[in-house]
Amino acid sequence: MKTIARAFREEASPQILLASGLVVFPAFLFQPALSVRFFTALVFLFLAAAVGKRIRPVATIVMSASIVAFNLIVPFGRVLFSIGDFRITSGALSGGFEKAVTIEGLIWLSQVLVRPDVRFPGVSGELLAGTFGYFARITEERKSIDRKDIFGSLDALLVRLWDEGPARIQETAKKGTGPGGIAAIAALVALCLLPYLFLLFGPLPAWLVWN
Amino acid sequence: MRRATESDASRRGKPAADAGRRYFNLTAFLSAFCLFLSTIEYMIPKPLPFMRLGIANLPIILALDIMPVPQVLLLVLLKVVCQSLVSGSLFSYIFLFSFAGSFASGLVMIAARKAGGKAISFVGVSVLGAVASNLVQIVLARYFIFGESAWYIGPPFVAVGLATGILLGLFCEEFARRSTWYASMKGARR
C-alpha cells in the first residue's frame, strides 16, 4: 500500500496524473463488459484507499442501492421474481448495477488522478493559485466566524482578508515523474485498455458475461 | 507629440487595467469563499449522498451586483473546477452535474437580476437559480443515472431546492444590508 501511495503521490506529477485520466476515463466509461468494468472499479477503489482517500462505505452503499432501486421502478427484460405486485426484471437490475458501478468507479478514479496541487500555466494558473491562496487564508481564519454574530464576524473576516490579499501558496518542488510514477500510471492505463484488446479476439468467457 | 500621445493612452489605460486586476482578484477571492462554503456543506449531514443545500452559491448571488457578467460566469466556472479539484471528482458524473447545475443556475440568476433589477430580491434570484439547477440535474439524472424513474424524485428534489433557495436568499439579503465589505465593493463598481 505504501509503495502504491508513494508512486501516485510522490513520484508522479499532478499534471501527468491528470493527463493520464484523459485516457483512463473514457476507457472505463465505455467498457462494454459489465464484469470487466466492475473489477476495474474495484481496482480504483483499492487505489483510492491506498493513496489515503477517505472511503465512505455507507454513502457508497446508499448511493448504489438508490440507483439500482430507481432503475427497478421501470421494468425491462425477463421477470426474475416479484415482491407483491412489484416485478424485479433482469434488464432493469443489470442496468441499475451498471450505472452504480460506473458512477462509483469514476468517483474513485478521480480521487486517484486528480490532485489539488495541480498547476496550470498562464492566466488560468494564476487565477487558480489566487483562489487556493485566498482559500488557505479563509480556512486558517475560519474560527473567527462567530455563530452568534454570523453577519458581523463574516463581514469582518472578508474586510480583513480582502485588504491583505491572497496567501502565497508554498510552491511544491517542480520535479518530474519518477520511475515508480511512470510504472503506476502505465499499469493503470494498461488495466483499462487491455480488456479492449482481449475483446477484439473473441467473446468473454461465460463466467465474465454479466449483462 | 508622440510622447504626449503615449502618456495619454497610458493614463486612460491605467484605470481600466486597475479595474481588470481588481475583478481578477475579486473573482479569485469569491471563488475561494465558494470553496470554503462547499467544504462546510460537505460536513453537514444529509439524508441522501447526492443532495445539495447550495450554500456555496452565496458568493455568486452577491457577485451579481458587484461584478460584470463575464466575471460572474468565470466565478461559476472557477467554483466548479476548484470544487472538483479539491474533492477529486473531475472525472466523475459529479462534475457533469455540478457544471450543468451551476451554469444553469448562474445564467438564470444573471438574467433575473438584469431583467428584474431591484424589483426582484435576492430571495427571488436565489429561488430561480436553485430551481433551474435542480431541473437541469433531474434531466441529467434521467439520462445518466435513474432512467425514467428520475421523474419520481423530481417533486421532492425541487421542493428541497425551493426551501434552500429561500433560506439562502434571505441570508444574502441580510448580509448585503449589513456588510461593510459588500457596500465598499458596490461603491467601487460605480
Side-chain angles (χ1 to χ4, degrees):
Chain A
M1 291 283 261
K2 280 184 182 170
T3 312
I4 293 170
R6 197 169 54 243
F8 278 102
R9 285 289 168 260
E10 292 168 28
E11 294 191 40
S13 82
Q15 288 80 1
I16 297 287
L17 278 177
L18 194 69
S20 69
L22 299 176
V23 177
V24 175
F25 166 71
F28 174 74
L29 187 63
F30 299 112
Q31 171 54 246
L34 176 57
S35 55
V36 175
R37 204 185 296 191
F38 175 74
F39 289 120
T40 313
L42 287 184
V43 174
F44 294 161
L45 169 63
F46 171 75
L47 291 177
V51 299
K53 290 290 173 182
R54 199 175 71 159
I55 305 297
R56 298 190 297 167
V58 175
T60 304
I61 292 167
V62 170
M63 175 81 129
S64 302
S66 60
I67 292 169
V68 174
F70 271 102
N71 266 273
L72 289 174
I73 294 174
V74 180
F76 168 61
R78 189 164 52 90
V79 178
L80 297 172
F81 58 94
S82 297
I83 303 170
D85 288 338
F86 190 71
R87 290 172 298 159
I88 307 292
T89 52
S90 62
L93 187 62
S94 71
F97 186 66
E98 185 178 343
K99 283 172 184 165
V101 165
T102 307
I103 286 163
E104 296 298 344
L106 287 175
I107 290 171
W108 295 322
L109 171 69
S110 277
Q111 288 181 338
V112 177
L113 297 182
V114 182
R115 282 169 34 183
D117 57 343
V118 66
R119 293 285 173 266
F120 299 96
V123 177
S124 60
E126 199 186 337
L127 201 52
L128 280 176
T131 298
F132 283 116
Y134 276 120
F135 179 60
R137 288 294 294 127
I138 295 173
T139 310
E140 279 167 17
E141 299 279 334
R142 67 185 183 280
K143 286 190 177 152
S144 66
I145 299 173
D146 183 4
R147 283 184 195 177
K148 289 176 190 161
D149 179 22
I150 188 105
F151 295 108
S153 60
L154 189 59
D155 184 45
L157 177 67
L158 291 179
V159 169
R160 196 166 65 247
L161 295 183
W162 176 250
D163 287 344
E164 136 190 337
R168 289 203 176 275
I169 295 288
Q170 191 77 33
E171 275 290 322
T172 46
K174 284 180 181 169
K175 53 183 180 184
T177 302
I182 292 171
I185 291 169
L188 188 60
V189 171
L191 173 84
C192 292
L193 290 182
L194 282 181
Y196 283 96
L197 287 180
F198 288 116
L199 287 172
L200 286 179
F201 292 109
L204 287 172
W207 64 276
L208 273 177
V209 178
W210 295 0
N211 44 351
Chain B
M1 181 69 186
R2 190 164 177 267
R3 280 172 71 186
T5 309
E6 275 178 2
S7 172
D8 286 350
S10 96
R11 264 201 296 275
R12 276 197 305 272
K14 198 169 184 309
D18 285 349
R21 190 73 219 171
R22 198 178 142 276
Y23 284 132
F24 187 87
N25 279 338
L26 189 55
T27 309
F29 187 64
L30 288 178
S31 71
F33 193 24
C34 289
L35 204 52
F36 173 69
L37 293 174
S38 73
T39 56
I40 289 180
E41 173 156 347
Y42 181 73
M43 288 186 274
I44 299 171
K46 291 175 276 290
L48 292 169
F50 43 83
M51 207 178 127
R52 292 283 175 272
L53 300 175
I55 57 172
N57 288 325
L58 193 145
I60 295 172
I61 299 173
L62 292 175
L64 293 172
D65 286 355
I66 59 175
M67 287 165 90
V69 170
Q71 262 71 24
V72 177
L73 291 173
L74 183 62
L75 174 63
V76 173
L77 178 69
L78 212 51
K79 168 195 166 237
V80 177
V81 171
C82 289
Q83 275 178 345
S84 70
L85 287 175
V86 167
S87 64
S89 59
L90 191 65
F91 290 121
S92 72
Y93 281 129
I94 294 174
F95 178 74
L96 176 69
F97 277 65
S98 176
F99 185 88
S102 293
F103 267 93
S105 160
L107 289 170
V108 166
M109 290 195 299
I110 289 168
R113 200 62 173 171
K114 290 285 168 201
K118 298 293 171 198
I120 182 163
S121 69
F122 278 146
V123 177
V125 168
S126 170
V127 165
L128 287 172
V131 170
S133 170
N134 287 352
L135 288 177
V136 165
Q137 292 187 340
I138 290 166
V139 172
L140 287 178
R142 153 69 184 82
Y143 289 102
F144 291 105
I145 306 183
F146 295 131
E148 287 297 332
S149 315
W151 308 127
Y152 294 100
I153 59 166
F157 201 55
V158 172
V160 170
L162 271 173
T164 56
I166 290 169
L167 291 176
L168 191 65
L170 288 171
F171 187 95
C172 281
E173 285 285 344
E174 194 58 21
F175 182 79
R177 198 175 60 80
R178 291 194 198 189
S179 170
T180 54
W181 175 83
Y182 187 69
S184 72
M185 291 298 122
K186 276 184 92 169
R189 204 193 163 188
R190 285 194 193 108

